[in-house]
Amino acid sequence: MMSSMKFAVIGAGYAGLAAAVELAAAGRQVEVFEASRTLGGRARAAQIDGFEVDNGQHILIGAYTETLRLMRAVGADPNALLKRTPLRFEFPGEFLMSAPSFAIPVPAPLHTAFALLLAQGLDWREKRAAIRLMLGLRAARFRIEPDITVTKWLDSNKTPSRQRRLLWEPLCIAALNTPADRASAQILGNVLRDSLGGKRAASDLLLPQVNLSALFPDPAAKFVAEHGGAVHSGHRVNSLRREDDAWQIDDAGPFAQVVLAVAPYHLAALVPELVPSVAHFDWEPIVTSYLRYPATVRLPQPMLGVDAGLAQWLFDRGALCGQHGLIAAVISARGRHLDLPMAELERGIHAEIARIVPGLPQPLAVQTITEKRATFACVPNLQRPQAHTGLPGLWLAGDYVAGDYPATLEAAVRSGVAAARAALAA
Ligand SMILES: Cc1cc2nc3c(=O)[nH]c(=O)nc-3n(C[C@H](O)[C@H](O)[C@H](O)COP(=O)(O)OP(=O)(O)OC[C@H]3O[C@@H](n4cnc5c(N)ncnc54)[C@H](O)[C@@H]3O)c2cc1C
């Protein structure tokens, strides 16, 4: 009887939809409930000023193997939807590290050593120190025990300050959305292991050429529907309760197994007894400003870093997805930018772009999206809840669930897949 019962997923972010695809692919009938009308959760399409953008500019990397696998499974071709470029870490006029483009491909992990050796903006002493740090990490199998902050880890490796400012600290904020003085060195080590420490393609940057809902969530929902399931968008679940050895979701059910794929701060409304497992979490914001210029305006590269600026990264949406003249500026984690009035922040970002693009005209329009709880603060030794809730047939999925990665699309997808597999095996 139980085996013929439907499965349910609450939340259609990347975690929930990954779980739903995995369940549907295994032949289960699955219903997905999503509060918003737009699928994708924190990685979803948004409309501004007549443009279709995202609620925050995202990047993926080649190491996002599960995200890429599931994209292929639902017919969303990563080669068509993502712009793959070899790693390029650039702060114009200050620093440039890019994967070497030799005629003969350099095998892993030498490609990272070569990239560091060829980097512009570090002297030999700094390059040697950076390579020593990577090789030391590799020799320790990317284990940093006990876990400490990235700053303490860099201190213990006597990392020169310019190298911190131009390489490790921006890398840490980009990967963990947590400043180095608070971020977990072990989680950064995990990301380095799978990207710079892995095969060369693993460190490639994958920049979306479509909005984030079209990248995976919409094709995933179609896949679920084609496999006999349903995705109910615009349905905020108000009640999740256990009745007769099965789950009821509002007036739908019975469901044999439920994957709860909401963000941690949504748990209280649905299963208050799970709140203690995330009560110690702290949050980091991400601010994305979209500046619209005449269509002829472009950046020298699709993605650029800003050294010591308000903005940290600039993206040319013209080069990425044909939205010519639209530049996205991303500011990750907490910082002085949060204290500025919005107009001042936007003026400051415009001035930073003007330093890179000579003769830049005033923007035609500017709009800023602030996600106050973009990700959990990825601090050392953070206790993250397991997928198994302890309640029968109820599994957690989401970027915050126990795993190797910081709060990212890949963490969300991996946890969705793991929760679905656990539900299938139960
Ligand atoms: C601005 C920004 C920039 C980012 N940049 C990057 C990046 O460059 N690279 C990267 O890998 N990651 C990035 N991230 C992180 C990434 O977006 C998240 O890790 C990921 O989207 C989390 O997915 P999730 O499915 O775990 O949670 P969510 O996306 O939060 O999904 C939870 C879903 O549950 C729904 N929900 C909640 N309560 C209910 C209810 N009662 N009933 C029904 N539905 C409900 C919500 O509406 C939501 O859709 C960024 C995040 C932000 C905000």
Side-chain angles (χ1 to χ4, degrees):
M1 159 66 179
M2 285 292 273
S3 62
S4 64
M5 249 193 256
K6 291 183 292 189
F7 283 43
V9 175
I10 304 177
Y14 274 60
L17 285 165
V21 166
E22 196 72 11
L23 292 170
R28 299 305 168 133
Q29 198 186 344
V30 53
E31 286 194 39
V32 182
F33 299 87
E34 166 55 48
S36 169
R37 294 217 168 271
T38 309
L39 305 182
R42 276 169 280 159
R44 66 177 183 281
Q47 287 281 340
I48 55 152
D49 188 28
F51 273 97
E52 197 166 70
V53 292
D54 298 305
N55 68 317
Q57 179 72 45
H58 280 53
I59 54 174
L60 294 77
I61 55 171
Y64 282 15
T65 48
E66 279 297 274
T67 308
L68 296 173
R69 178 181 74 79
L70 284 199
M71 281 179 69
R72 280 185 214 103
V74 300
D77 179 7
N79 295 331
L81 303 183
L82 294 163
K83 187 181 182 72
R84 182 181 275 268
T85 62
L87 175 73
R88 188 183 169 92
F89 211 68
E90 178 171 9
F91 296 94
E94 283 284 340
F95 180 67
L96 169 63
M97 182 179 94
S98 57
S101 51
F102 295 116
I104 304 166
V106 181
L110 286 180
H111 63 99
T112 303
F114 270 109
L116 286 166
L117 261 178
L118 299 175
Q120 296 167 20
L122 296 181
D123 63 25
W124 284 107
R125 189 181 60 96
E126 286 167 324
K127 287 180 185 181
R128 261 205 321 271
I131 293 169
R132 212 176 32 239
L133 192 71
M134 271 308 280
L135 293 179
L137 200 51
R138 200 178 167 79
R141 294 170 187 244
F142 294 90
R143 296 295 314 160
I144 299 163
E145 280 168 337
D147 194 6
I148 49 177
T149 66
V150 170
T151 297
K152 283 196 179 139
W153 175 65
L154 294 172
D155 287 347
S156 67
N157 283 282
K158 301 190 174 49
T159 306
S161 61
R162 186 176 158 80
Q163 188 195 122
R164 289 176 187 230
R165 194 187 92 228
L166 293 171
L167 180 59
W168 301 113
E169 290 171 359
L171 207 61
C172 173
I173 289 202
L176 275 61
N177 193 33
T178 307
D181 60 354
R182 285 169 33 85
S184 157
Q186 181 59 70
I187 301 285
L188 180 63
N190 296 345
V191 175
L192 292 173
R193 175 195 66 207
D194 294 349
S195 54
L196 290 176
K199 291 215 173 83
R200 205 189 116 163
S203 63
D204 283 351
L205 297 176
L206 310 180
L207 303 173
Q209 303 193 93
V210 292
N211 71 58
L212 292 168
S213 295
L215 188 66
F216 171 65
D218 294 342
K222 190 161 168 268
F223 179 91
V224 169
E226 284 166 357
H227 287 72
V231 177
H232 309 290
S233 58
H235 181 143
R236 177 176 294 282
V237 172
N238 290 312
S239 145
L240 171 64
R241 54 196 191 283
R242 189 105 183 125
E243 283 174 11
D244 301 329
D245 285 340
W247 290 98
Q248 286 292 135
I249 293 177
D250 295 334
D251 50 13
F255 295 102
Q257 307 278 331
V258 175
V259 176
L260 188 51
V262 301
Y265 38 80
H266 296 135
L267 287 176
L270 293 169
V271 193
E273 53 267 55
L274 295 179
V275 171
S277 66
V278 292
H280 57 292
F281 276 48
D282 196 5
W283 306 99
E284 292 285 350
I286 299 182
V287 174
T288 309
S289 289
Y290 291 98
L291 297 94
R292 186 161 68 78
Y293 294 100
T296 48
V297 168
R298 59 194 53 193
L299 295 177
Q301 293 289 331
M303 175 185 164
L304 283 177
V306 183
D307 179 35
L310 285 168
Q312 291 156 351
W313 299 99
L314 301 175
F315 296 83
D316 185 339
R317 306 244 336 161
L320 293 176
C321 39
Q323 294 174 328
H324 296 290
L326 189 64
I327 293 180
V330 174
I331 315 177
S332 297
R334 283 174 235 185
R336 62 195 164 106
H337 61 284
L338 296 174
D339 302 329
L340 295 178
M342 194 56 80
E344 198 177 320
L345 175 69
E346 291 169 345
R347 269 198 307 277
I349 294 172
H350 165 71
E352 287 166 2
I353 302 172
R355 260 179 254 141
I356 298 169
V357 180
L360 184 74
Q362 284 298 316
L364 303 170
V366 186
Q367 198 152 333
T368 299
I369 302 176
T370 302
E371 284 273 355
K372 289 202 173 106
R373 292 181 291 189
T375 69
F376 62 82
C378 193
V379 296
N381 302 304
L382 182 67
Q383 293 298 311
R384 293 159 68 173
Q386 298 293 327
H388 186 26
T389 60
L391 299 169
L394 186 65
W395 309 91
L396 286 182
D399 60 358
Y400 68 100
V401 173
D404 263 10
Y405 274 22
T408 50
L409 298 174
E410 180 70 3
V413 167
R414 286 188 186 189
S415 113
V417 169
R421 289 187 181 160
L424 287 167

